[in-house]
Amino acid sequence: MKTNHNLTQLWKAGRCHAARLAYRLGLSDKYCFPPYFLWGTGTSAYQVEGAHDQDGKGESIWDRFCRSPGNIKNGDTGNIACDQYHRFAQDMELCRRLNLGAYRFSIAWPRVQPLGRGALNEKGMSYYDRLIDELLALGIEPVITLYHWDLPQALQDDLGGFAHRDTVQHFADYTEAMVHRYSDRVKFWTTLNEPWCSSFLGHQTGYHAPGIKDPLIAAQVAHNLLLCHGAGTIAARAAARQKLDLGIVLNLTISEALNPADAHLADKAFARDCGFYLEPLLRGKYSQAALAGIKDFKEQDLRLINQPMDYLGINYYARSLVSSTGKTHPVPGAEYTQMGWEVHPQALRRLLNRIRKDYPEVPPLYVTENGAAYEDLVTQAGRINDTKRLEYLRRHIEQVALAIEDGVDVRGYFAWSLLDNFEWAEGYDRRFGIVHVDFATQERRIKDSGLWYAETARSNKIVLPRNL
Ligand code: GCO
């Protein structure tokens, strides 16, 4: 069996190399991604699971935040969300129908450790056992995110959450317990998803949980989250039952100038925003400016943050623009998604190249999120002709292919999201799924974008025009 499997892999890889050669020689317009390229989708626990107080789950900062009137559009909450806690088998079957190689999901920390420290909740732990086993039975790689924004409320109440250094040790202990339990079956692990959002949106603008508006706290949280990544990485490696692929997922924005005369501003913004994360993670350094904002800093912190990583996950939705006049919106002639984000696929290629150029030591890259919110209509026949989303995905995937051709080591692409789900402060008003969810009935329907994506994942190929 094993040999047959290997032979099939070899045959597939051979065909793929031949197809890439044909593309490069101008004999075909079909581009074949490398044979190891991973096609996936992602979700996060609070956005899809629901079952917010079931089977011993503790309260999270998002449970609490959603209960305060005015925080979330239409007063929506993640109490039920996509009910994936009860419907995971159906959802994983959808992943199979979409031909996905991987499913990226997060563990709800308060589900498995209700108070964020101390006793584990076996019922919550066994939920992820079942989810993982289901994925493996379908031949889909589970990719676990340890923290996607739903901190146990008890840690917020008792310690001040990530503003307090003790939370770092609690995160490391939680990580150790998860890796000990699941790493016999799960190879891919992410410590944190988009720590910029947790710190800045959660503690400076207050747009996200826990809803704090204090720049000093936000800066400390940003630093402490990086400590969590470092301490979590060490804990994960020590508890691992196999060699792990361990990394972090960042929303690195590429800043570009609307007017070429402002290019220096764009350069500065890139160095500041991406540098805030990549300098300490990859080089064990902070810029003077970054350091100035952090009150509780110890020299050895940088050594802790600077752990070897097996990959870097990048979430890309839009570029950010700079202009000396301050006016960047709207860009004449530009398209925007329902979030008001500019559609600019070429900047994804530039971002991937820029990271490789400025940080040659960067580990292999994955595009861990990319996708778009548009309003969807279900036709009488039950179809969702979401052409704009399909085009958004297609055009960004083209740019990933071009980045690979440029020599950037991109190993996979994850469409955001498998399902329409709870879009944080926007509630259920913004749909990112390649699968439609009717929130009244929980019925799922694969959208046209999903059908297209399934075919792309199956064939590992796209049509790649030469004049992009
Ligand atoms: C993010 C999140 C997702 C969002 C998506 C769209 O990392 O911001 O991972 O949870 O839903 O980005 O806003």
Side-chain angles (χ1 to χ4, degrees), residues 275-331:
F276 181 85
Y277 289 100
L278 296 182
E279 290 290 330
L281 285 168
L282 301 175
R283 296 178 173 163
K285 289 196 299 207
Y286 270 132
S287 69
Q288 279 309 320
L291 209 51
I294 305 166
K295 241 174 81 198
D296 174 13
F297 174 80
K298 299 185 174 47
E299 211 43 54
Q300 65 267 30
D301 287 354
L302 284 165
R303 265 204 310 280
L304 179 60
I305 295 170
N306 180 212
Q307 296 301 317
M309 283 198 289
D310 301 299
Y311 67 90
L312 172 66
I314 294 173
N315 295 351
Y316 176 85
Y317 291 91
R319 63 178 178 168
S320 93
L321 284 165
V322 294
S323 148
S324 48
T325 64
K327 187 172 166 5
T328 55
H329 192 97
V331 179

Side-chain angles (χ1 to χ4, degrees), residues 125-335:
M125 298 280 285
S126 70
Y127 167 68
Y128 297 105
D129 276 328
R130 294 195 298 279
L131 174 61
I132 292 164
D133 291 344
E134 190 72 31
L135 282 164
L136 294 175
L138 296 170
I140 301 169
E141 187 89 48
V143 177
I144 292 185
T145 302
L146 285 155
Y147 188 70
H148 199 130
W149 309 355
D150 45 355
L151 186 75
Q153 181 68 41
L155 290 182
Q156 191 66 42
D157 291 342
D158 300 349
L159 299 176
F162 288 111
H164 197 294
R165 213 173 245 268
D166 283 359
T167 301
V168 175
Q169 187 56 48
H170 298 314
F171 178 77
D173 294 344
Y174 153 69
T175 297
E176 185 191 332
M178 297 306 108
V179 171
H180 179 72
R181 173 76 165 238
Y182 306 121
S183 68
D184 55 335
R185 288 155 289 164
V186 181
K187 181 173 171 59
F188 280 93
W189 294 78
T190 301
T191 51
L192 308 174
N193 175 73
E194 299 194 4
W196 178 85
C197 294
S198 315
S199 57
F200 186 77
L201 301 180
H203 298 82
Q204 183 152 335
T205 66
Y207 175 63
H208 279 183
I212 291 168
K213 295 181 186 159
D214 182 331
L216 278 180
I217 295 183
Q220 191 63 50
V221 167
H223 176 63
N224 290 354
L225 279 164
L226 285 170
L227 296 178
C228 285
H229 164 79
T233 299
I234 293 174
R237 296 226 195 269
R241 310 238 208 128
Q242 61 171 312
K243 179 164 172 339
L244 303 184
D245 269 331
L246 202 54
I248 189 168
V249 165
L250 303 173
N251 52 321
L252 297 179
T253 34
I254 179 141
S255 297
E256 301 200 325
L258 256 187
N259 173 349
D262 294 335
H264 62 289
L265 294 179
D267 270 347
K268 255 178 125 170
F270 180 81
R272 183 194 61 216
D273 300 342
C274 294
F276 181 85
Y277 289 100
L278 296 182
E279 290 290 330
L281 285 168
L282 301 175
R283 296 178 173 163
K285 289 196 299 207
Y286 270 132
S287 69
Q288 279 309 320
L291 209 51
I294 305 166
K295 241 174 81 198
D296 174 13
F297 174 80
K298 299 185 174 47
E299 211 43 54
Q300 65 267 30
D301 287 354
L302 284 165
R303 265 204 310 280
L304 179 60
I305 295 170
N306 180 212
Q307 296 301 317
M309 283 198 289
D310 301 299
Y311 67 90
L312 172 66
I314 294 173
N315 295 351
Y316 176 85
Y317 291 91
R319 63 178 178 168
S320 93
L321 284 165
V322 294
S323 148
S324 48
T325 64
K327 187 172 166 5
T328 55
H329 192 97
V331 179
E335 270 173 70

Side-chain angles (χ1 to χ4, degrees), residues 44 47 148-149 193-194 197 315 317 339 341 369 416 423-424 432:
S44 83
Q47 293 181 279
H148 199 130
W149 309 355
N193 175 73
E194 299 194 4
C197 294
N315 295 351
Y317 291 91
M339 296 294 279
W341 298 344
E369 282 181 29
W416 184 270
E423 179 53 27
W424 307 113
F432 276 88

Side-chain angles (χ1 to χ4, degrees), residues 342-464:
E342 187 194 7
V343 179
H344 200 94
Q346 298 88 337
L348 173 56
R349 177 188 186 182
R350 292 198 285 265
L351 172 66
L352 295 167
N353 273 285
R354 180 76 189 259
I355 292 169
R356 184 181 66 131
K357 179 171 138 288
D358 287 10
Y359 295 93
E361 68 271 59
V362 76
L365 304 177
Y366 287 83
V367 175
T368 31
E369 282 181 29
N370 176 239
Y374 290 109
E375 243 172 293
D376 290 320
L377 282 178
V378 184
T379 66
Q380 288 259 310
R383 293 252 331 230
I384 296 104
N385 311 121
D386 60 335
T387 320
K388 283 190 182 159
R389 184 177 295 101
L390 187 160
E391 279 302 298
Y392 180 100
L393 296 177
R394 190 182 64 72
R395 291 171 61 200
H396 283 80
I397 289 169
E398 282 174 354
Q399 296 296 324
V400 174
L402 291 170
I404 295 173
E405 286 301 285
D406 295 335
V408 187
D409 187 2
V410 188
R411 304 257 173 116
Y413 173 94
F414 290 69
W416 184 270
S417 171
L418 173 65
L419 302 169
D420 293 335
N421 60 42
F422 176 79
E423 179 53 27
W424 307 113
E426 303 297 319
Y428 296 98
D429 227 44
R430 296 286 179 269
R431 293 178 177 271
F432 276 88
I434 57 172
V435 174
H436 183 271
V437 178
D438 178 335
F439 290 105
T441 61
Q442 291 294 345
E443 193 180 341
R444 275 82 159 135
R445 281 197 183 90
I446 300 183
K447 302 180 191 179
D448 283 2
S449 59
L451 297 174
W452 176 84
Y453 191 61
E455 177 49 25
T456 305
R458 190 200 59 77
S459 65
N460 202 29
K461 284 192 190 118
I462 51 163
V463 173
L464 188 58

